[in-house]
Every structure is written in C-alpha cells, then in structure tokens.
Amino acid sequence: MAKAMRRAVTDEDKEQRRVEILAAAKRVFARKGFQATTIADVAKAAKVSYGSIYWYFDSKEALFHALMETEGDALRAHIEQAVLGSGAAVDLESALRAAVRATFEFFEADKALVRLLFRDSYALGGRFEKHLFGIYEGFIGDLELLIRQGQKAGVIVKAPPRMVAFSVAALVGQIAHRRLVTDDGLKAGVVADFIVDLVMDGLRPR
Amino acid sequence: MAKAMRRAVTDEDKEQRRVEILAAAKRVFARKGFQATTIADVAKAAKVSYGSIYWYFDSKEALFHALMETEGDALRAHIEQAVLGSGAAVDLESALRAAVRATFEFFEADKALVRLLFRDSYALGGRFEKHLFGIYEGFIGDLELLIRQGQKAGVIVKAPPRMVAFSVAALVGQIAHRRLVTDDGLKAGVVADFIVDLVMDGLRPR
Amino acid sequence: MAKAMRRAVTDEDKEQRRVEILAAAKRVFARKGFQATTIADVAKAAKVSYGSIYWYFDSKEALFHALMETEGDALRAHIEQAVLGSGAAVDLESALRAAVRATFEFFEADKALVRLLFRDSYALGGRFEKHLFGIYEGFIGDLELLIRQGQKAGVIVKAPPRMVAFSVAALVGQIAHRRLVTDDGLKAGVVADFIVDLVMDGLRPR
Amino acid sequence: MAKAMRRAVTDEDKEQRRVEILAAAKRVFARKGFQATTIADVAKAAKVSYGSIYWYFDSKEALFHALMETEGDALRAHIEQAVLGSGAAVDLESALRAAVRATFEFFEADKALVRLLFRDSYALGGRFEKHLFGIYEGFIGDLELLIRQGQKAGVIVKAPPRMVAFSVAALVGQIAHRRLVTDDGLKAGVVADFIVDLVMDGLRPR
DNA sequence: AATGAATGAGGATTCATTCAT
DNA sequence: AATGAATGAATCCTCATTCAT
C-alpha cells in the first residue's frame, strides 16, 4: 500500500511534468509556429532538459498531436457544458447560439489555441490533416445533431445538415482566426450572435 | 535596334522560363507542400538547373509569393469576368451567385491552388499572413462592394458588410478545401448555390 | 550467523540476477548486434529495470566483456573435457580432432555465440581486440600445446607451432561463422573432420 | 565541342574529388573504425566541407560501401595480374602460391584495408554482410576455379572445392588481420608460403 | 544566363550514464 | 537493491543559398 501510494504520487508527478511540457509547448508553438519551434525551445520554456521531452513524447510531432488532443478535448467540454447549461433541450436556436458563443469565448480567452488550430496544424500537412479533421468532425458532428433536431422540429429548413454544420464551424473558426490579425472592434459575443443570426435568418430582408 | 530586338526576344524567353518555373513550382508545392518541397524538386520539375531558380526568384519564399500573386490575379480575373458576364449590374443576388460559382469552378478545376491557398500558405506563418491576407482582402473587398450595393438597394439587411463579405469568402474557401479530402458527392454548382442560398435566406423557415 | 546466511542467500540471488542479465544480453546482442543494442533492450529482455543493469555491470561495454568472459570459459571447458575424454594422451590427431569437433558442436548448439564472437566483437574495435585476443589466445595456446607434443612425438612436421595453432583456430571460427549465413549442407562433425584432415594431410595426393 | 571538353574536365574534377574523399575516408575509417568515425572527420581529412560529402555519397554507409567496392576491385585486379604473371596456366600450385602471395603483399602494403575488411565491415552488421560476402565470394570463386583445375589435373585430392577455397581465403584474411596486432616477425612472403605449404602438404610427415 | 558544386548552419533524435527516491 | 526519470553530448543528414566557371 505504501508502494501503491508512492507510485500514485510518482504518477501524479509524471503527469504534472507532462502537463507542464504541454503548456510550455503551447506557448512556444503559438508564438513561433510549429516548424520554427525547436525541441530546445520547448525544453527551455518548460525548464526541463533537452532529452526529457523525449521521455514524455515520442517526437516533436507526437508532442503537437498530444497538445491538440488535450486542447480539443477541453474546447469540446467547454462547449458541451455551455449547451447543456442553456435552455438547449427545448430551443434549437438557443443551443446553437450557446455553442457558438462558447466557442468564441474559449477562443477569445486562448488566442494561442486559435493560432495552433488554424495555422500551425497545417504545417504538418497530410500527417495532421486526419487528426485535425477528427477534432473538427467532433465539433461538426455535435452541430449536425442540433441541426437535425431543428429540422425535425420544423424550425430549420431542409438543407444538408452536415454541410450546414460544417459551414457554421468554418465561419466560427475563420472569423476567430481573422480576429487574431484584424481588429474588427467587436466583442466576441457580438460576433457570435452575428454568425448565428446570419445562419438563421440570412441576408434577405423579411 | 537589332540589339533591342534581340533583347526583346530574350525577355520573352525569360518570361517564358519564369512561367515554366512557376508552373512546375505549383505542381510540386501542391503535391508535397511548401516545407517539404526543396528547390531541387522545383528545378527538376521545371527541367532547369539547380541554381537557375535563383536567377528568376530571390528565394524559395519569394517563389511562393510570386506564385500566389499570379494565381490570385488569375482567380480574381476569372471571378470579375463571371460577375460582369451575368446580369450583375441590376441584380445583387445574381452577382453574388456568379462570383461564388466562378470561384468554385476555378477551385474545382485547380485543386492544386486550393491546397496552396488553404494549406501551404499557413506554412509560412506570419511571413505569409500578410500576403494571403492581401489576396483574401481583394476578394473580400469585391464582395463587400456587392454587399453594400445590395444594402443600398434594400435587398440586403443591415449587417457589417465587411464581416458578411469575409463570411462568404470563408465559406467558399473552407468548403472548397474540405472537398479536397471529403467527397460530399455534390457538383460544384450545387455547393455554390447552397452557400448563396444559406447566406441569403438563412435556415429559419419563412 | 543468521546474518551471514541471509547474506549468502542474497549473494546467490545477486548472482542469479547477474546470470539472467547475461543471458538476456546474449540473446539481444546476438540478434541486434552490439551497437544496435541499447541498455534498455537488455533491461527489457532481462525483465529488470532500466538502471539496474548498472548495478551489476559498470557499462554496456563491461557487460559485453563479462559476457564474452563467461562464454569463453564455457567454450574452453567444453573443449577441454572433450579432449580429455578422448584417447588424447597418446594420440595427437585424436586430441586435435576432438578439440575441433567439440568446438563445432558448441558453436552449432549456440549460434548466438558465433555471432557474438565473430561479428559483434569487432564492433568494439581496438577496445575489444585485446579481450577477444585473450579468448582466442587461450584456445590457440591449448592447440599450440598439442602441436608441440605432436612435433616432439614426430607425428607433426616442423612448422611454427603458434601459427599452425592460429591457423586451425581461424579455420574453425571462420567456417563456423560462414555457416551462419551459407548453408553448406554438411553436419558439424563432417566439417570438423574436413578441417582436421586438411590440416593433417593437405591437398596433395600422397 | 568546347562544351564537351569543358564537361569532360569537370567530370574528371568531380571524379578526382570523389577519389580524394574515398582516400580520406579510408584513412579515417581505418584509424578510428566505422562507428567512431564521423562524417565531419572524413570531411576534415578530405579538406572538403561538411555537406560536400553528401554531394558525392548518399550516406555514411554508402560511402563505406563505395570504399569497399573500390578496394575490393583493386585487390582482385592485383591478384589476377599476379596469377596471370606466374606460370599459372600449367602449374596449379604456382597459381595458388601467386594468388596468396599477391594477397599478402597487397595487405602488407595497405594495413588500412585489412582493418577495413576484417574489422569495420562487421560494424555494419547484416547490412554489410551481403556486400562483404560479395567481395569474399569473388575471391573465393577465383580460388575455387584453381582448386577444381588442380583436382581435374590430379594434383589436388578430392575435397569439396568451395570449402577448400573458403578455407584458404579465411586463412589468408585471418592471418593478415592478426599481423596487425601481433608481430610474428615473419616476412609476408614467408607467411604466404606457410599457408600454401600447409594447405598443400598438411602437417603429417611424409 | 545557366550550371551544379560547395557550403555549413541547423535540428531532430538517440542513448549511455547518473542519481534522487 | 531497485527503479526509472533526467540529462545532454553526440551525430547524421537536409537544404537554402552562394559562387566560380
């Protein structure tokens, strides 16, 4: 039991270290980009030795994947919680709005993540496409579910639900990314609402 | 004068070579991605010598920028022509539809360009952001003009025109990019119309 | 006394561990070669922890040397026994034949040792040369003794005894090594006899 | 034609450089061994820049292979010439003696080669085994031919010719290798004759 | 203009060894 | 005794760029 406890502590320590490295990697990757970041950079930022990175991650690429995995999970959990916390069950639009708002909030609070997702991810080319695709698809899948429910309830017109979902995801992602560079002077909430309004009502005056 | 003529011919030759190199670069960049492509790859594909590339372009990066410049111009010309060729002057929606359709056609006929624009461009990180931004902004600027006209004519609701324009551009780009990987089984024209319909009418049943 | 007993047991355990590690090392070294083998490989094969290897051996190289020591001793013991078991005392040729046969048997039963001796040993370059030399020299020294006895008894022609001894050793080793790669379709005994016959009678018809 | 000439000169230069690198590599490999030699070592010894090595050879390993190829060819040519230069056509023993002597001379004049063949080659493990095997087999094949001729002429007893050939090769190689470390105080010619005598007449007094 | 040889900085990765626990 | 996390030196190879011809 003593051994078990000691092991538990050790495991925690190890996890702790892993998390620290991930955090450091996130900072560096976001600032310099995946390609320009060296393992030495990450090591220095994490205040561990050069080779220690390799004790926790198999390669630079694996480190990036692990990072995206973690971040993707956090994002999705945040969104899910937001959707559940709203009157989502009864009202499709509220759910959609909650999801989009939550995403924007998350991105707003974590610009590094936006950079990682929408710029650096491409640096890995096809090797990451599948993974990024996975993260995206998770998000899109959730949206699709909402869309389908809306269609069933008659509050959403007939339209290919997956494509609609992807469109929303694309808008959210691209606008968030754009806001890294261009200041549109708008609050995140306003932008989120803009997207939902556009998607729900379109541009044609009613 | 004889000299001038010879020079003229030479200049044409030179331009010809430049174009060949650009074409080769496009093929290689599109296939392997910017980072993974070496100057040697481009040289071989263009059937010129190793160092010749540097006679025509200052650096690998400059080559990529030049390529994007050329491609961006062609795309924009294609769209402009399509818009003018439609009954664009009187009808905002037709113009928008023409623009989106033309873009999709262009992308459909040139998958390499899509890859270049939406994947490799990011590989250059901040260094390219400005340039990509430029191409984008050109496209977005044109769209914005249309939107503003529509708003003035009362066929488009009040909404931040630049953000609407960016949204359309983002949708077009991201969906085109997605189609590289995922087959949605739809014709380019159908997808284009989907986008315009979504943007014009939204999802709420009228 | 209790303490002494406990210590005794512990020492046995320790020796046991040492032997296990040596056995594991032999397997791994023989399969992957000295250079390509990592301490981690050995540790895993021996089912001990990473750093434990260093409790028993000072370094990777020391481990290899220890292994060679052990194996060399075993080989020599096997040969010695074989020679003594034959009518060696009176008959030089029988003794030589017994020695060569025994060596081949031993090698045949332990291909890993052959690989270790005749391939990996060289990987240590000069550092091992001396040691390998030692093992060899032991074998050669024994052979030399036989040769000298034969010369004294008049059944062996005058010839530099050490060089003869080395020649026999070289033949045995190289042919055994070759048999790892090339199948000559011959039994070990036949090959052993071939060597002895060649060395004793030469190729010229009598 | 001028162009052709210039090209010819350039090709010679290139070949010249390649040869210089090979020569430098030989020196360094022989002194430090394959593993311990770095590309930087070779570059320095060849007085070319680091990366230039890679212009001529694909990898460190490829460099080694090329080196062995060259050396193997030279050795074989030397032997062939020696055999032809002796009264080889009529007399088997002379031919064999000439071959063994020539090999020893060659090895004596080029200790580095001996080291390369009989020590460093093993450092590449299985990857080189095939190549080394090739060099060996060439030599052995030639010897086998001689043996077969001798058997046909009745001056060589019945014995598996390939194994005899291999035995001779092994003796030559191993004794030459041994002489790198141990001084037996004998001239190369004497050792060569010792080998041939041993192989031809054996140790049993006639 | 064109060639392609030469350069060398740069970086990911490996692994023997150490050491705190 | 045993563990396994930590270290960081070491090295191969890549490739953009330069430059003599």
Side-chain angles (χ1 to χ4, degrees), chain B residues 72-192:
Chain B
D73 288 353
L75 170 59
R76 208 165 163 194
H78 179 78
I79 298 172
E80 198 168 329
Q81 195 181 7
V83 171
L84 291 178
S86 68
V90 282
D91 180 359
L92 173 274
E93 187 171 341
S94 301
L96 184 60
R97 201 170 296 268
V100 173
R101 277 183 177 165
T103 308
F104 255 90
E105 279 165 22
F106 202 84
F107 283 166
E108 207 70 12
D110 191 354
K111 309 262 183 179
L113 175 60
V114 178
R115 229 178 292 268
L116 254 46
L117 276 174
F118 299 100
R119 195 186 67 195
D120 295 327
S121 293
Y122 293 103
L124 281 80
R127 297 185 308 261
F128 189 70
E129 217 150 57
K130 207 183 122 200
H131 192 184
L132 179 62
F133 199 72
I135 296 177
Y136 244 75
E137 295 303 299
F139 184 44
I140 294 169
D142 292 347
L143 284 175
E144 191 186 356
L145 234 60
L146 291 179
I147 306 290
R148 282 186 190 281
Q149 287 171 13
Q151 290 180 328
K152 208 166 282 174
V155 295
I156 293 276
V157 296
K158 276 277 178 242
R162 190 152 199 90
M163 188 167 289
V164 172
F166 177 76
S167 299
V168 175
L171 282 177
V172 171
Q174 294 299 302
I175 292 181
H177 189 206
R178 182 185 169 85
R179 282 163 61 87
L180 287 183
V181 188
T182 318
D183 182 15
D184 51 23
L186 300 174
K187 295 271 184 197
V190 174
V191 179

Side-chain angles (χ1 to χ4, degrees), chain C residues 101-116:
Chain C
R101 276 184 178 165
T103 309
F104 256 89
E105 277 166 24
F106 202 83
F107 284 166
E108 207 70 12
D110 190 354
K111 309 261 183 180
L113 175 58
V114 178
R115 228 180 293 269
L116 255 47

Side-chain angles (χ1 to χ4, degrees), chain C residues 10 17 49 51-52 56:
Chain C
T10 300
R17 255 313 170 55
S49 86
S52 277
Y56 294 93

Side-chain angles (χ1 to χ4, degrees), chain B residues 10 17 49 51-52 55-56:
Chain B
T10 301
R17 256 311 171 56
S49 87
S52 278
W55 187 185
Y56 293 95

